[in-house]
Amino acid sequence: MPDQSAAFIDEHLREAGIPVAQYVRMSTEHQKYSTENQTAAISEYASLHGMRIVKTYEDAGKSGLNLKGRNGLQTLLHDVETPLPGFQAVLVYDISRWGRFPDPDEAAAYVHACKSRGIRVIYCAEPFNNDGSLPSTVFIGIKRSMAAEYSRELSVKVFAGACNIVRHGYRQGGAPGFGLRRQLIDEQHNAKGLLPRGERKSIQTDRVVLVPGPPEEIALVHRIYRLFLQENMSERLIASVLNREGLTSDAGIQWTRGTIHQILTNEKYIGHNVYNRSSFKLKVQHVRNPPEQWIRRDGAFEAIVPIEIFAKAQAIITERSLHLDDSQMLAMLRQTLEKHGALSGILIDEDGDAPSSSAYRSRFGSLLRAYSLIGYTPRRDYAYLEINKALRRRHPELINEITSGIEKVGGWAVRNGATDLLTINGEFTMALVIARCKPTAAGTYRWRIRFDASLHPDLTVVARMDPSNRGAHDYYVFPAIDFSNDTLPILEDNGFTLDAYRTDSLEIIYQMAGRVPLPEAG
C-alpha cells in the first residue's frame, strides 16, 4: 500500500485519536477486495495517521453500480447529515470501493454530501494525495471514469458469456417454474443432482439444464392447459379453482392470474431456451426487448407440454390481445361498470373479458381519466392520487430547472442523489418542497407544507402550486434561522411577516447564487 503523506490531511486530522469511520464494500469480482483485506489496510492507514476507527459501514456482496441495496452506504450518507455523526472523516480502501457508478458524477455527489458537512472521504490505497488540489481532482475524476468503464466492459462480457451459454442449450438464471426443476451437470454432461430453490451452482465449469419436475406437478400443468383450452376458463378463473382446492404454486403460495398466464405462455414448457426478453444492464433501467433481440435455443430441454397444445393456447391469447381502439376499450369498461355497479383496478382485472387496469392507465393516462370518459365518478375522490404522482414527477424537473438557472448566472449546484439536497457554490445547502393546492368548500385555497427536518438545509424553497397543480403559484424562500413549522404559508394571504419571504419567481435564488468575475487589479 502506498505511504501517503500526511500533508493532504487537515490539521485536525493530524491530532492523535481523531475519530473516523470506515466504509467497506465487497462484490464478487476479486478476493483482494474482501472486506477483511480492506479493513486491514484501512486500519494500518488510520494507525499511521493518528486516527481512531469508531464506526464501520459495510456492504458485503453488493454491486457498486448504484445506491439501491447498499444499506451501509445509505446509512453512512444519512448519518453524516445528522448534527453529531461521531466521526470527522470516512476512510475507504479505494475509489472503486466507494462505487462503480455508470455516471461518475453520482459518486462525486455522494462524496460532496459528506464534505458539505465537514466530513472528508479519504481513499487509503490510492497513489495520489487526496487534498483537493488540481492534480488530485484530476486523478480522482479519471479513477471514477475508469471504475465506470470497468462496469460497462464487464457488463458486455457477462452478457456475451450468458448468450453463449444459452445458445449451447444451458439454463441462464431464473427460477425453473412450476413443473420444472434445475438439473446440475458437469463438463461431461453427467447429472450431479437437482438444485433446490434458492441455491446456485458453485463450480464454474458446471452447467444447469431444466428437467421435468414431480409427476403431480406435470399433471397439474396439463390440467391448466385443459381448463384453458377445453373449458374456456380464463387465467383468473383457473387460479380461483386451484386455490379453492387448496393447491399451491411451486413457491408454496396461492395461484394468481399472472402465475397461470406464465405457464400458458412461457416457451420453457415446450423445451425452448429463451433469454434476453428483458434486460437491466448496469442496473439503470428495465427494458423489454423486441423478439429479434431474444437469444434462443429451441429444443434445449425435455418438453412437458406438447408443442401443438402450446400453439393452440398462444393462438387464443393472441386473438384475445388484438388491438382495441379507444371506443372499444371504453365500451368494455362500461360493461364492467354495469356488471359490478362500480369500478376499481381490482374489479377491472377480475373481469377476464376486458383489458387490464394497467392497459387503461397506459392508453388514457390514468384510470380516473378513463372513468371520466364514460361518465363514472368514484364514490371517493381519488384525484389527489394522480395529482401527487404528477407532483412527484415535477420535483426532479424543478430541481434541474433550479440547477440550470444557477449555472446560467455563473454559479453551480451539486445535487445529493439520495436526498435531492442542493449544495450551492459549495457554500450553502437548499431543499425544495412542492406544496399541493387544495380548494376549500368556501372557494378559497390552502397549501399543506411538510419539511424534512433531518436534512437541515440552510434554505428551504417552497413551490406553492396553482389551483390546477400544474404550475407554480409562487415561491417562498425560508432561511433555516428564521422559520419554524408553526409559521408556514398555508393561506392565500399570509400577512406581511410571511409574505416578506414570498417571490413570484426563482430569480432571487439565481441572484444569490450568481458569480461575477472581478477584473484583476493593475
Side-chain angles (χ1 to χ4, degrees):
M1 182 185 70
D3 184 16
Q4 294 179 316
S5 169
F8 66 90
I9 305 176
D10 290 339
E11 187 64 32
H12 67 279
L13 289 181
R14 295 195 185 98
E15 302 173 7
I18 294 299
V20 297
Q22 64 174 339
Y23 173 72
V24 294
R25 180 184 67 84
M26 180 190 69
S27 53
T28 57
E29 70 248 21
H30 205 285
Q31 180 61 29
K32 75 173 183 178
Y33 282 132
S34 71
T35 53
E36 292 82 2
N37 288 349
Q38 293 175 59
T39 299
I42 292 172
S43 297
E44 181 181 350
Y45 180 93
S47 177
L48 288 173
H49 294 89
M51 302 176 188
R52 176 169 49 92
I53 299 173
V54 297
K55 198 163 187 178
T56 297
Y57 299 89
E58 178 178 339
D59 285 318
K62 297 296 182 181
S63 166
L65 290 173
N66 55 35
L67 201 61
K68 185 177 180 180
R70 295 171 63 181
N71 295 331
L73 184 55
Q74 291 182 29
T75 303
L76 166 61
L77 295 174
H78 176 270
D79 288 352
V80 300
E81 299 287 347
T82 61
L84 297 172
F87 49 87
Q88 299 179 20
V90 179
L91 304 186
V92 187
Y93 180 79
D94 65 10
I95 288 175
S96 72
R97 295 306 88 199
W98 187 252
R100 299 188 187 276
F101 300 97
D103 184 353
D105 289 343
E106 185 174 358
Y110 299 142
V111 172
H112 195 276
C114 298
K115 291 175 64 178
S116 66
R117 293 295 177 178
I119 297 175
R120 174 170 290 172
V121 177
I122 300 174
Y123 308 110
C124 302
E126 296 290 3
F128 51 80
N129 292 340
N130 190 23
D131 57 358
S133 64
L134 179 60
S136 69
T137 301
V138 171
F139 275 120
I140 289 175
I142 292 174
K143 291 296 289 284
R144 284 176 180 152
S145 297
M146 290 171 60
E149 185 60 26
Y150 173 89
S151 296
R152 282 188 284 269
E153 291 180 354
L154 183 61
S155 174
V156 172
K157 293 177 181 177
V158 169
F159 177 71
C163 292
N164 188 52
I165 288 174
V166 171
R167 291 189 183 102
H168 282 83
Y170 303 120
R171 178 72 171 173
Q172 179 61 31
F178 188 84
L180 297 168
R181 292 294 185 271
R182 293 181 300 158
Q183 173 74 63
L184 191 65
I185 60 175
D186 62 18
E187 289 182 277
Q188 286 74 41
H189 283 235
N190 297 316
K192 298 180 64 175
L194 298 178
L195 277 176
R197 186 180 182 85
E199 287 192 7
R200 300 181 180 181
K201 69 184 186 71
S202 57
I203 300 177
Q204 188 174 8
T205 55
D206 285 349
R207 291 291 179 258
V208 176
V209 296
L210 293 183
V211 296
E216 61 273 16
E217 288 191 16
I218 297 176
L220 185 52
V221 170
H222 292 164
R223 182 187 174 196
I224 289 172
Y225 275 84
R226 286 197 303 272
L227 293 174
F228 184 74
L229 294 174
Q230 299 175 17
E231 303 295 332
N232 297 319
M233 289 188 181
S234 67
E235 294 96 325
R236 194 174 302 281
L237 183 55
I238 295 173
S240 178
V241 169
L242 300 185
N243 290 332
R244 284 200 302 268
E245 295 178 6
L247 302 174
T248 59
S249 69
D250 54 320
I253 59 177
Q254 286 195 329
W255 292 93
T256 66
R257 180 190 181 281
T259 52
I260 298 296
H261 187 76
Q262 196 268 346
I263 288 177
L264 292 172
T265 58
N266 199 305
E267 293 184 58
K268 62 188 175 184
Y269 288 97
I270 56 173
H272 294 352
N273 196 14
V274 184
Y275 179 68
N276 199 41
R277 291 175 182 267
S278 63
S279 56
F280 189 34
K281 293 180 180 178
L282 295 177
K283 299 187 176 181
V284 174
Q285 182 181 11
H286 281 283
V287 177
R288 290 192 176 275
N289 299 318
E292 58 267 22
Q293 293 183 12
W294 297 355
I295 309 300
R296 60 186 307 126
R297 172 70 180 271
D298 293 348
F301 315 124
E302 181 180 348
I304 65 173
V305 174
I307 192 168
E308 61 274 11
I309 299 297
F310 184 83
K312 290 180 181 179
Q314 303 323 295
I316 293 175
I317 292 172
T318 301
E319 179 68 23
R320 187 181 64 188
S321 303
L322 287 177
H323 181 73
L324 300 172
D325 61 30
D326 291 357
S327 61
Q328 290 172 317
M329 289 187 67
L330 292 175
M332 299 179 78
L333 189 61
R334 290 190 187 93
Q335 293 174 2
T336 303
L337 175 60
E338 293 172 0
K339 185 186 303 183
H340 299 285
L343 288 176
S344 70
I346 294 176
L347 290 175
I348 294 171
D349 288 337
E350 286 181 348
D351 191 343
D353 297 326
S356 66
S357 60
S358 61
Y360 282 103
R361 291 190 185 96
S362 176
R363 177 69 63 86
F364 299 104
S366 69
L367 282 180
L368 290 176
R369 184 167 184 273
Y371 294 166
S372 67
L373 291 174
I374 64 171
Y376 172 69
T377 302
R379 294 188 181 95
R380 180 180 175 187
D381 182 9
Y382 290 97
Y384 73 94
L385 295 176
E386 302 299 331
I387 293 173
N388 287 347
K389 289 180 182 179
L391 294 184
R392 283 194 292 270
R393 292 193 297 268
R394 177 62 176 146
H395 192 275
E397 294 173 356
L398 194 52
I399 287 285
N400 292 335
E401 181 180 328
I402 293 173
T403 301
S404 298
I406 291 173
E407 292 174 350
K408 289 179 181 178
V409 296
W412 66 92
V414 177
R415 173 179 168 270
N416 185 313
T419 65
D420 280 335
L421 192 71
L422 291 177
T423 300
I424 313 298
N425 298 332
E427 297 171 351
F428 62 93
T429 57
M430 187 187 78
L432 172 67
V433 175
I434 295 182
R436 177 167 63 93
C437 180
K438 297 178 62 178
T440 67
T444 58
Y445 300 105
R446 293 290 187 272
W447 293 263
R448 181 174 296 277
I449 301 172
R450 294 182 176 88
F451 294 94
D452 189 344
S454 65
L455 296 180
H456 303 289
D458 299 311
L459 289 179
T460 297
V461 175
V462 176
R464 296 200 309 177
M465 303 304 286
D466 60 22
S468 70
N469 283 296
R470 292 190 179 93
H473 172 67
D474 57 14
Y475 302 88
Y476 279 77
V477 182
F478 290 108
I481 61 174
D482 286 352
F483 82 94
S484 69
N485 288 330
D486 297 328
T487 54
L488 297 178
I490 63 172
L491 307 175
E492 291 178 80
D493 184 2
N494 294 282
F496 175 77
T497 302
L498 282 176
D499 283 345
Y501 298 99
R502 179 187 170 280
T503 175
D504 289 324
S505 71
L506 293 170
E507 287 300 321
I508 188 173
I509 297 293
Y510 306 150
Q511 293 172 11
M512 288 191 298
R515 288 293 181 268
V516 178
L518 297 176
E520 185 175 351

